[in-house]
Amino acid sequence: MSGTPWARGRLLGGFGGPRLLFGRMYEDWGVELAVFPPAGARVLCIASAGDTAAALDTAGYDVTAVDVNPVQLAYTRERLAGGATREGTAEAVMRLGRGTAARLLPAWRRTELHDFLALDDPQEQARRWREELDTPGLRRLMRVALRPGGALAVALRPSFAGVVPQRFDEVLRRRLERTVCGHPNAGNPWLWRLLAGAEPPRTPPPRAPGVRLVHDDVVHALEQAPCGAFDAVTLSNVLDGPGPGFARRLRAAVRHAVRPGGVVVLRSAREPGPGGPGWAAQDSSVLWGVVRVVRLGGEGADRRIEP
């Protein structure tokens, strides 16, 4: 992935080597559990912080997790062996945003926010969101932080310009509303992680020491795998940023490494095009604009799996 924003292992500007980017993951692996072949299948995922790999391992899959960032991979290995969850760059940025909101907006203080996150009725959540949390003050704050030229855009490395959607403040507010209107907050770890930097009460830590961890960029790993080595793969953000040449290489690598009839899950932070959001409309996580699920067919005759 030398041509992708992830190759340097840094989300923010500055000098030095790779950093720990993610202390937790923000993708709803319920999608994978709904569409992947039966337990025992051979699957590949991005290692990141290890949450998805652990969930798939717990469900009985033979899991290979790949990451190009050696610092991230070492953290994943420690975490899946029972190590503590630590803060990555993404969590540090979110913590600063939450702290600013808590200082300026009463409804976003810790006690009030945890009360909102403890709700399990989407109808009441929608009312509270619209009347108490999605205020003009929040919109002004998100505009300053997330618009082009705002605080986040200035802090991010230029190579991540293609990862964050334009007018991300409005995009993120719409995705937050979609999530709280469609899924109970109390059992939604991805919403807790984003808004509170914490897990819902009584959430066990991920543990899966049997996951196979590989230090490589995911395209090279797929290219080097035996033909048809995997029954399914799940890839997040891989196509956000790189150009069409990289997309063609990834497509060829997936077709080589995933058997005919296998399943591919692709997540993107971008806004959906004419094809719509796909599974993102039902995803319990907030961040994804598009989630595509495709079943590979022979001779390139792939079929999209609709939610």
Side-chain angles (χ1 to χ4, degrees), residues 100-123:
T100 303
R103 287 192 296 273
L104 299 178
L105 307 171
W108 287 85
R109 293 170 184 160
R110 186 179 186 278
T111 301
E112 288 77 6
L113 187 59
H114 277 240
D115 180 62
F116 173 71
L117 289 170
L119 297 174
D120 61 4
D121 177 2
Q123 186 172 351

Side-chain angles (χ1 to χ4, degrees), residues 43-269:
V43 304
L44 178 142
C45 64
I46 302 297
S48 188
D51 298 277
T52 298
L56 294 173
D57 179 82
T58 300
Y61 291 97
D62 178 358
V63 182
T64 298
V66 180
D67 210 290
V68 70
N69 181 347
V71 176
Q72 190 74 50
L73 195 72
Y75 168 72
T76 302
R77 180 174 288 107
E78 295 170 5
R79 194 166 182 242
L80 294 185
T85 297
R86 303 202 308 268
E87 181 182 83
T89 302
E91 287 77 27
V93 170
M94 289 187 277
R95 174 171 50 79
L96 290 173
R98 287 192 300 268
T100 303
R103 287 192 296 273
L104 299 178
L105 307 171
W108 287 85
R109 293 170 184 160
R110 186 179 186 278
T111 301
E112 288 77 6
L113 187 59
H114 277 240
D115 180 62
F116 173 71
L117 289 170
L119 297 174
D120 61 4
D121 177 2
Q123 186 172 351
E124 174 63 10
Q125 293 165 193
R127 185 193 68 79
R128 293 272 297 272
W129 168 257
R130 292 165 181 155
E131 296 180 6
E132 300 175 16
L133 280 87
D134 188 19
T135 62
L138 176 70
R139 297 173 195 177
R140 287 192 294 270
L141 180 61
M142 292 181 70
R143 191 178 305 121
V144 169
L146 302 179
R147 284 282 176 95
L152 181 63
V154 170
L156 284 175
R157 293 185 61 82
S159 56
F160 279 93
V163 175
V164 179
Q166 293 292 312
R167 305 180 73 88
F168 188 46
D169 57 319
E170 296 178 6
V171 168
L172 185 57
R173 283 181 42 249
R174 287 197 301 271
R175 294 179 189 176
L176 279 163
E177 182 167 6
R178 176 186 72 191
T179 301
V180 301
C181 289
H183 306 277
N185 289 350
N188 187 342
W190 303 282
L191 189 67
W192 278 76
R193 293 170 186 180
L194 182 67
L195 299 187
E199 301 290 335
R202 297 175 296 280
T203 300
R207 186 177 176 86
V211 170
R212 188 179 304 107
L213 296 173
V214 176
H215 177 215
D216 201 352
D217 75 70
V218 69
V219 176
H220 185 259
L222 289 167
E223 290 172 337
Q224 295 302 307
C227 184
F230 298 104
D231 300 297
V233 300
T234 176
L235 307 171
S236 298
N237 274 137
V238 174
L239 290 176
D240 290 342
F246 182 87
R248 288 192 293 271
R249 183 183 169 200
L250 176 65
R251 189 178 303 114
V254 166
R255 295 199 66 83
H256 162 76
V258 180
R259 65 169 176 81
V263 174
V264 181
V265 177
L266 288 169
R267 285 182 175 81
S268 173

Side-chain angles (χ1 to χ4, degrees), residues 24-61:
R24 295 181 171 97
M25 294 181 71
Y26 302 87
E27 57 189 36
D28 180 357
W29 55 75
V31 174
E32 281 77 4
L33 297 182
V35 301
F36 272 9
R42 303 156 300 169
V43 304
L44 178 142
C45 64
I46 302 297
S48 188
D51 298 277
T52 298
L56 294 173
D57 179 82
T58 300
Y61 291 97

